[in-house]
Amino acid sequence: RPSVPKQQELDRIKELPGQPKVKFSQFSGYVTVNERHGRALFYWLTESSSSPHTKPLLLWLNGGPGCSSIAYGASEEIGPFRINKTASSLYLNTFSWNREANLLFLESPSGVGFSYTNTSSDLKDTGDERTAQENLIFLIKWMSRFPQYKYRDFYIAGESYAGHYVPQLAKKIHDYNKAFTKPIINLKGFMVGNAVTDNHYDSIGTVTYWWTHAMISDRTYKSILSHCNFTAEKASDQCDESVNYAMNHEFGNIDQYSIYTPTCL
Amino acid sequence: CTESYAEKYYNRADVQRAFHANLTRIPYKWTACSDVLIKNWRDSDSSVLPIYKELITAGLRIWVFSGDTDSVVPVTATRFSLSHLNLPVKTRWYPWYSGKQVAGWTEEYKGLTFATVRGAGHEVPLFQPKRALVLFRSFLAGKKLPKS
């Protein structure tokens, strides 16, 4: 076997509590992204279940902002393990994306999940720019720890507010790579789902969805469109009133994230 | 409800040990989402469409999908936003298939592929895992979603 950096071996997960037997390798740990403030990001790599050496690397980010990639991406969506009801054991996800790629889940920015900062004020002034910058720093350092992924086909994916994180990180990588003839981060593309894209157009499209799916009345639909200026920094009182009426009196007790699914009690 | 299972599992001391996580003893419990971060988010681009334009020009593979039962960032929101990129259509709108059923609809623009996933909410791979995997395979391969 090729020699691997020591830190990589220290990050190897022997077995997670309650985990079924699997044939793929897993690693997790921290990468410091800002020494002065003590900001460190936590990652979990689940390698592909077949020939990981030939498969691409996919970085998955969740949205929020402030939501965990290992809670949603890994444990609910594309990861190999699901958690049982009592949280006592894990079971396999038949449709895990690690059949096709090596999956890198990243808790980002610091303050999300296991990622942390030693400077508590950081939690109150984080935003898009720092997130993208530190995700890039994470990747560069992570690839030094996992050199087998240098030059490997690399993709980014995510959902919801990661509609910001994913293209913003892609742009950072694209700009960073311009300085190299053969960049180590071999970014090929990205994919986003139900992604926040443009405040103005997203908002009009969202209200339209509520109306076309009979979640709100004609009257409320017209009221929202006439009172809400979706380009404004702050919504007017009349706009808030119309939207709140829809949510409190017309939506009903539904799961807004999946309108035909029973709500979790 | 799966989120509540994660809250339990990731707060177990033995799980954190196995993950080499929380070595510095973070002074709060592990949570799926941080309220502090969301309340204090400092800067947020009003639109990422300019980034799309730049990266499309750079030749990156870009796919956008949408679960059609999500009302938080719904399919109409995404379509309305993407329409303002004014991209020429490369492959016209058609239903794509998985397991002999319509799995959604798709359209390929020059530089970007858009696809809906039928019956999926905000977290597409949670609600429609098989369809999501077909989508991911096609994305990686750079191939069109199956027409039958």
Side-chain angles (χ1 to χ4, degrees), chain A residues 28 67 75-76 100 202 205 264, chain B residues 1 10 19 33 76 81 123 137:
Chain A
S28 64
C67 293
S75 304
E76 293 193 356
E100 307 294 331
D202 281 358
C264 176
Chain B
C1 293
Y10 292 117
F19 268 119
C33 287
T76 41
S81 285
E123 295 170 79
R137 268 195 201 121

Side-chain angles (χ1 to χ4, degrees), chain B residues 51-124:
Chain B
I51 299 180
Y52 274 77
K53 283 180 187 164
E54 184 182 340
L55 296 181
I56 286 168
T57 307
L60 286 190
R61 185 181 305 158
I62 301 174
W63 282 39
V64 178
F65 61 94
S66 190
D68 67 5
T69 70
D70 175 28
S71 74
V72 178
V73 191
V75 58
T76 41
T78 303
R79 289 182 70 183
F80 198 45
S81 285
L82 293 182
S83 70
H84 288 84
L85 288 170
N86 295 314
L87 298 170
V89 174
K90 205 168 146 192
T91 308
R92 289 176 69 173
W93 198 261
Y94 69 92
W96 65 279
Y97 284 78
S98 166
K100 296 184 180 174
Q101 290 198 4
V102 173
W105 279 261
T106 184
E107 186 159 66
E108 189 188 0
Y109 301 94
K110 197 176 173 194
L112 184 148
T113 296
F114 172 71
T116 72
V117 182
R118 184 172 65 83
H122 195 66
E123 295 170 79
V124 169

